[in-house]
Amino acid sequence: MSSNSACRRLPPGVRRRTLVGLLTLPTVTALAHNTPLDRALAALVDDPQQPLASLSVLVRRHSRVVFEGQFGRRRIAPDLPVTRDTLFRIASVTKLVVAVAAMRLVQGGRFDLDADVGDLLGYPLHQPLTPRLLLCHRSGLSDGGDDFTDPRVNLRRLLGQPGPTWNGRLPGRWFEYANINFAVLAAAMERATGTRFDQLMQDEVLGPLGMQGGFDPARLPPGQLGQVATLYRKAPSEGGPWWPSGPWHAQADDFYAAPPQRLLADGAAYEPGSRGGLYGPQGRLRTRVCDLGVLMGMLMDGGRVGGERFLSEASVRTLMTESWRADGRNGDEAGGIFQAWGVGLQHFIDRSRPGWGDRLVPGGGVRAWGHLGFAYGLVSALLMAPRRGCGIVYVVGGTGADPATHPGRRSSFPVWEERLQALLWAEALRA
């Protein structure tokens, strides 16, 4: 596998302007470096036993980006390298971005985290619950029911009666990570604002922060669409055999094979709140790693970007207020990866044993807030340790070995992801 390395360091004082709001943001130069970290990440991508199709990373320390790097290929054939402008379908890290949008609505007086979701949607639910419980994954909902992303599925029917969409626990009493929570949240946000979800996200987060991408790839400008990474596995299908030395198999966003189709035709009627899962609030945002770095910097700087207020300090505190901690009896830990949760963000509390836990660095000692993503071979993470003043972002566009057969030595992460985290945190924590 060829590697395209573009490590970039931020010289003091270098800045750029966003197109919206004229926020002053730190940026990085276009200089390439051949550093030990650069070479270690390239070797990780090219590992013959556990290869990665593509990798884009960012490290932030003391209020500035100190490292960016891109490796591998966003497209195997034709052979196209990953660049700083490559957009990835970031999987469940999307949920963190949606949580930020929800807090923007809250502080603007247009949304209430403790309102009754049934009142917001305009029909009663089988169990009363609130947006806060949706964000905390303590809603009583489960992904075991019908596919909420299918436009033929009636969300009202799923929520209004008992069935596999409900996990049998009273809302607030049990933690169960569920993607459907964010479809319901998106529907409630649409009803509260009268705005379709993809446009709402553009208005509240993507546009003001100058982030590229969106939730409907068919609506991306041609230049951005050409930069979207195809997602790969070295397995032909979900559950199929893995072959690390074999070919890469496209899993999602193969837009060279077929262009994306619009999720909603121009001029088509749409009732806000009726189809909360249409635009994939649980995991379908395409954006760049450097844009996630801007979002992370805002959260680490108490809601400010370039000296301008984006979120209130109270909103940031809410996101990072722990709402649940595993005690062995109060929730589904998903094999140990979930140990604590805030309001839309996971809290990594450094619990560890071989193949289990949320530890982020060898030897432990780092606690962090953020979110993970995993889908179609992609692996993503936005992780920040505000008290230490640092954080990391990474997106892998394809995995070549079965994560289930490569358990970590200190956590629930596969061993190659532990290696990646160790390299990036070492840079982030460097004095």
Side-chain angles (χ1 to χ4, degrees):
M1 176 185 298
S2 62
S3 292
N4 177 57
S5 172
C7 167
R8 300 170 174 91
R9 295 187 180 275
L10 172 65
V14 176
R15 293 182 177 273
R16 66 175 166 88
R17 294 268 186 182
T18 62
L19 298 178
V20 182
L22 296 179
L23 299 178
T24 304
L25 305 178
T27 189
V28 294
T29 70
L31 299 176
H33 296 268
N34 187 23
T35 67
L37 177 55
D38 190 61
R39 294 191 293 273
L41 292 171
L44 185 67
V45 169
D46 290 333
D47 186 326
Q49 301 302 316
Q50 302 168 52
L52 308 178
S54 58
L55 174 65
S56 184
V57 304
L58 177 147
V59 178
R60 180 181 172 90
R61 183 174 67 241
H62 302 319
S63 298
R64 66 189 186 103
V65 176
V66 296
F67 184 91
E68 283 191 62
Q70 291 80 38
F71 310 83
R73 291 168 283 177
R74 71 179 189 271
R75 173 73 188 175
I76 302 300
D79 190 343
L80 298 174
V82 181
T83 75
R84 187 173 187 264
D85 288 322
T86 296
L87 293 89
F88 293 88
R89 177 174 170 160
I90 60 171
S92 287
V93 174
T94 298
K95 294 182 177 73
L96 184 154
V97 187
V98 176
V100 168
M103 296 312 303
R104 290 267 289 176
L105 298 182
V106 168
Q107 67 188 30
R110 293 176 289 167
F111 201 57
D112 183 351
L113 291 186
D114 299 308
D116 185 279
V117 170
D119 290 343
L120 293 173
L121 295 178
Y123 53 82
L125 308 188
H126 170 59
Q127 298 276 11
L129 56 90
T130 66
R132 188 185 302 273
L133 292 176
L134 293 169
L135 286 162
C136 299
H137 294 283
R138 295 188 296 123
S139 64
L141 295 174
S142 171
D143 287 333
D146 292 341
D147 182 4
F148 62 87
T149 66
D150 187 333
R152 297 167 298 181
V153 171
N154 187 314
L155 190 63
R156 180 172 184 166
R157 176 181 61 79
L158 291 183
L159 300 177
Q161 60 190 25
T165 298
W166 297 89
N167 64 21
R169 309 275 184 165
L170 289 175
R173 299 289 182 87
W174 182 262
F175 175 91
E176 180 178 339
Y177 185 92
N179 289 299
I180 192 174
N181 286 324
F182 277 73
V184 179
L185 180 69
M189 291 165 66
E190 286 187 339
R191 283 294 298 267
T193 62
T195 304
R196 199 178 67 205
F197 175 76
D198 61 323
Q199 187 60 53
L200 174 64
M201 293 301 299
Q202 183 66 38
D203 294 344
E204 294 299 327
V205 180
L206 305 182
L209 291 182
M211 296 174 65
Q212 289 191 12
F215 287 80
D216 186 350
R219 295 182 185 273
L220 294 177
Q224 292 186 31
L225 182 61
Q227 279 284 346
V228 173
T230 301
L231 305 184
Y232 294 96
R233 288 191 185 104
K234 289 214 170 184
S237 63
E238 183 75 34
W242 291 78
W243 187 13
S245 61
W248 290 103
H249 298 274
Q251 307 291 313
D253 285 5
D254 189 5
F255 298 138
Y256 283 85
Q261 301 299 308
R262 288 202 171 182
L263 296 174
L264 191 70
D266 288 334
Y270 183 83
E271 180 185 352
S274 62
R275 296 163 67 183
L278 179 63
Y279 287 93
Q282 78 285 353
R284 293 186 193 165
L285 174 62
R286 281 85 172 174
T287 195
R288 303 178 300 176
V289 164
C290 61
D291 294 321
L292 293 176
V294 171
L295 188 74
M296 178 174 68
M298 178 275 297
L299 293 170
M300 291 181 63
D301 291 340
R304 290 185 176 273
V305 184
E308 300 287 337
R309 176 62 63 188
F310 180 78
L311 277 185
S312 68
E313 291 184 359
S315 292
V316 176
R317 283 196 303 271
T318 295
L319 291 168
M320 299 187 198
T321 296
E322 192 172 290
S323 63
W324 171 82
R325 180 171 291 215
D327 64 9
R329 303 179 303 277
N330 62 351
D332 180 3
E333 300 173 18
I337 192 62
F338 299 139
Q339 293 299 313
W341 210 268
V343 180
L345 277 67
Q346 183 173 348
H347 193 194
F348 297 82
I349 59 174
D350 199 31
R351 290 178 172 175
S352 173
R353 64 174 182 257
W356 181 93
D358 63 351
R359 177 160 290 178
L360 299 174
V361 298
V366 172
R367 295 192 172 197
W369 290 90
H371 215 290
L372 306 171
F374 178 81
Y376 304 109
L378 177 134
V379 177
S380 58
L382 187 159
L383 306 168
M384 51 193 166
R387 291 185 178 181
R388 292 174 174 260
C390 62
I392 66 174
V393 181
Y394 60 84
V395 177
V396 174
T399 48
D402 185 356
T405 61
H406 293 77
R409 296 183 175 90
R410 63 174 184 271
S411 70
S412 297
F413 298 102
V415 65
W416 58 263
E417 193 171 0
E418 287 187 340
R419 291 168 57 197
L420 173 60
Q421 291 170 351
L423 290 168
L424 298 179
W425 280 113
E427 178 69 18
L429 296 166
R430 188 162 57 86

